[in-house]
Amino acid sequence: MPPSHPFDDDKLKEECGVFGVVGLAEAANFVALGLHALQHRGQEAGGIVSYDPGTGFNSARRFGYVRDNFTKASLMETLPGELAIGHVRYSTAGSKGQTAIRDVQPFFGEFSMGGAAIAHNGNITNAIALRRELIERGSIFQSSSDSECIIHLMARSLQRNIVERMKDALRRVEGAFSVVAMTRTKLIGVRDPLGVRPLVLGKIGDGWVLSSETCALDIIGAEFIREIAPGEMVVITQKDGVESFHPFEKSPSKFCIFEHVYFSRPDSILGGRSVYETRENIGRELAKEAPVEADVVCPVPDSGTPAAIGYSLESGIPYAMGIIRNQYMGRTFIEPTEQIRNMGVRLKLNVNRALIRGKRVILVDDSVVRGTTSRKIKEMILDAGAKEVHFRIASPPTAWPCFYGVDTPKREKLLAATMNVDEMREYLGVDSLRFISLDGLYRAVGEAQGRNASCPQYCDACFSGEYPVAPSDMIEKGFQVKAAE
């Protein structure tokens, strides 16, 4: 497994990416390429399941990066067929350090009418209650993943075929789910009624593709057709093409706004908008809301770069790469001593001293989570001779944990949950600290009037504490949901 690094540990992490192909020879190879493009959504482990009429269902699940596992001919030859799905993952917050290969998706189940495999991006917020119920009724779980509940619910359904069983199962599920699944002949995609997590449809030759993001369509040369709508299920076969169903009650869309801020790759398209352009717009809004006199605007690489460019363009303050990221410190790097480990961020980032010395510096980052990395970066900038350091953050304060598929620290570990902005500025030791407002973020993603307070257009629970789906499991454990105003 890739070891964690201090720089990355202070970022919110998406937990999964999903990809599926039907109608292409050696489909698993296309899935491997798609997963490689989605590696930013999960770097701990990956898996692929394929189907071939001659050999049946075949699967491979491995820890580590896609490039280190699913590029080997000896492995890919064991995954024949024109239909395959895949998954990359992080472990959930509750299972850090306890991950077993049995937790790696896709999951497979053999039913009376044939087998089915499923890969899930998101988080089931009533998984504990479902798991308890299923175990009491005789189900035997093989993993600690909430996603396995879907397979057991399908197995217990009395519906006549796998597609209907999946509909039946997902109606019992609460929370966020973008699912890619497969039977012997069908590729299936489903988004939860709120559409919290992304899922898109593509086409390549005579084949069809489902993916978490459009950037993974690009890598295999597939044409982006459209997004799967919130609450929609698509069933795809070579014979009939794409069939669309709407098995859930219609609800207002609540797409995760943090996908625009950080999770999705900047070369993806979300809601018809370029992620890169949206992040540049966020920087422009931030410059309008939080101007400051300075000499240079620097991104905290790499996620702060588009917003820093936007801030520079709007403010007229020159943009500069004041911090350089070491792109070659991969997972094979060995940290042999405590002294080396304590170098922390310096192993990953280095200050461009010639650009920083004597300057008033604006540092633009996507978020502040625990604040530990921000403090270290500030120290590096000051050590390089900066006159002033001003932090500008391209998202509102992250004060609440996410329960919809994002690995978030407990609330008491989030800096914004225990401090106001002035206290955070003092804790970070910077000359000024400003976050984009929630309204400003909404304007940047295309909502000209800002946030609709009575019915927000996105899921922004990590900023507002307003959860569109009650986190049932966490409430059962004692989590205090924000009271309605």
Side-chain angles (χ1 to χ4, degrees):
M1 283 180 283
S4 60
H5 297 291
F7 177 77
D8 296 315
D9 281 351
D10 204 23
K11 295 288 184 183
L12 300 182
K13 296 184 178 71
E14 254 284 10
E15 288 174 0
C16 302
V18 295
F19 197 84
V21 170
V22 63
L24 294 177
E26 299 180 333
N29 287 322
F30 288 93
V31 171
L33 288 168
L35 294 180
H36 178 72
L38 297 173
Q39 191 78 86
H40 60 289
R41 300 184 74 89
Q43 298 175 19
E44 183 178 78
I48 296 176
V49 173
S50 71
Y51 179 79
D52 178 77
T55 61
F57 286 93
N58 299 279
S59 69
R61 296 183 286 179
R62 298 289 188 274
F63 288 121
Y65 294 128
V66 173
R67 69 172 186 237
D68 295 328
N69 292 303
F70 295 101
T71 54
K72 299 173 183 175
S74 58
L75 177 61
M76 300 311 294
E77 288 171 358
T78 69
L79 299 168
E82 298 185 356
L83 177 56
I85 65 171
H87 187 271
V88 287
R89 80 186 296 269
Y90 280 112
S91 61
T92 59
S95 60
K96 287 287 184 193
Q98 302 172 11
T99 303
I101 198 68
R102 64 178 179 270
D103 293 319
V104 180
Q105 298 184 43
F107 293 131
F108 176 77
E110 194 72 62
F111 306 106
S112 58
M113 67 288 293
I118 186 169
H120 167 218
N121 172 213
N123 192 57
I124 298 172
T125 57
N126 63 333
I128 291 176
L130 287 174
R131 192 181 186 98
R132 184 166 55 232
E133 174 192 324
L134 287 162
I135 289 173
E136 287 174 354
R137 294 187 177 186
S139 294
I140 300 173
F141 280 76
Q142 301 297 314
S143 76
S144 63
S145 172
D146 61 336
S147 308
E148 192 182 349
C149 288
I150 300 171
I151 287 285
H152 289 284
L153 288 169
M154 289 172 63
R156 301 192 72 85
S157 171
L158 300 177
Q159 296 299 318
R160 64 186 183 277
N161 59 49
I162 288 176
V163 171
E164 293 301 321
R165 286 188 177 211
M166 183 173 292
K167 292 178 185 178
D168 202 22
L170 292 175
R171 290 187 185 108
R172 295 282 318 278
V173 166
E174 297 173 6
F177 54 86
S178 281
V179 168
V180 170
M182 61 181 280
T183 67
R184 289 171 293 186
T185 59
K186 297 177 174 67
L187 177 65
I188 304 167
V190 196
R191 284 181 79 190
D192 69 76
L194 300 179
V196 177
R197 304 257 73 86
L199 189 64
V200 300
L201 174 69
K203 188 148 187 6
I204 175 171
D206 294 328
W208 294 91
V209 187
L210 290 170
S211 173
S212 289
E213 293 185 41
T214 61
C215 65
L217 302 179
D218 298 335
I219 198 173
I220 66 169
E223 175 191 2
F224 170 54
I225 302 299
R226 64 177 179 86
E227 295 183 356
I228 305 303
E232 182 183 13
M233 169 184 277
V234 292
V235 179
I236 310 170
T237 61
Q238 286 182 269
K239 177 184 176 183
D240 299 320
V242 180
E243 296 181 276
S244 175
F245 305 90
H246 293 271
F248 312 106
E249 290 185 14
K250 189 172 179 59
S251 302
S253 174
K254 300 290 182 183
F255 184 65
C256 171
I257 201 166
F258 213 81
E259 290 278 357
H260 287 286
V261 175
Y262 175 70
F263 294 141
S264 293
R265 258 177 46 168
D267 51 335
S268 284
I269 305 294
L270 291 177
R273 297 171 59 86
S274 159
V275 174
Y276 179 92
E277 291 178 1
T278 295
R279 290 176 186 168
E280 186 180 294
N281 288 341
I282 291 173
R284 288 180 179 273
E285 284 288 336
L286 189 53
K288 293 174 187 175
E289 291 187 350
V292 64
E293 291 187 6
D295 303 305
V296 65
V297 177
C298 298
V300 176
D302 293 312
S303 55
T305 300
I309 291 172
Y311 194 104
S312 172
L313 291 171
E314 184 66 31
S315 66
I317 300 171
Y319 170 90
M321 292 294 291
I323 302 173
I324 307 301
R325 182 164 184 158
N326 179 3
Q327 303 290 351
Y328 301 100
M329 185 186 145
R331 72 188 186 93
T332 57
F333 188 91
I334 300 170
E335 300 174 358
T337 67
E338 187 67 23
Q339 181 181 7
I340 293 294
R341 281 191 290 272
N342 287 339
M343 289 183 182
V345 175
R346 295 175 189 269
L347 297 171
K348 208 73 163 173
L349 304 173
N350 191 44
V351 177
N352 194 342
R353 291 174 176 270
L355 290 177
I356 294 299
R357 188 178 294 112
K359 302 285 180 62
R360 297 168 298 174
V361 179
I362 299 172
L363 288 177
V364 180
D365 204 356
D366 60 88
S367 60
V368 173
V369 182
R370 296 180 180 89
T372 52
T373 297
S374 299
R375 291 183 73 179
K376 291 174 183 177
I377 290 173
K378 176 266 303 183
E379 291 168 2
M380 291 167 58
I381 295 294
L382 290 177
D383 288 347
K387 184 187 295 186
E388 297 175 5
V389 179
H390 303 272
F391 261 116
R392 293 296 179 267
I393 309 301
S395 62
T398 304
W400 296 83
C402 174
F403 302 118
Y404 307 131
V406 178
D407 183 23
T408 317
K410 292 181 179 179
R411 185 158 195 257
E412 58 267 24
K413 298 291 186 181
L414 296 170
L415 200 64
T418 58
M419 299 182 185
N420 61 35
V421 174
D422 284 340
E423 291 168 335
M424 293 170 71
R425 182 202 61 75
E426 186 174 347
Y427 172 79
L428 297 177
V430 293
D431 292 278
S432 71
L433 169 69
R434 292 287 299 276
F435 296 80
I436 193 170
S437 68
L438 201 47
D439 272 336
L441 178 57
Y442 271 75
R443 287 192 294 270
V445 299
E447 300 291 342
Q449 303 304 313
R451 182 179 188 262
N452 183 339
S454 62
C455 185
Q457 304 93 312
Y458 288 84
C459 176
D460 56 27
C462 54
F463 308 131
S464 67
E466 298 175 17
Y467 294 94
V469 179
S472 305
D473 288 345
M474 299 309 298
I475 292 172
E476 183 178 321
K477 289 181 177 181
F479 178 78
Q480 297 294 313
V481 176
K482 182 179 178 180
E485 296 180 358

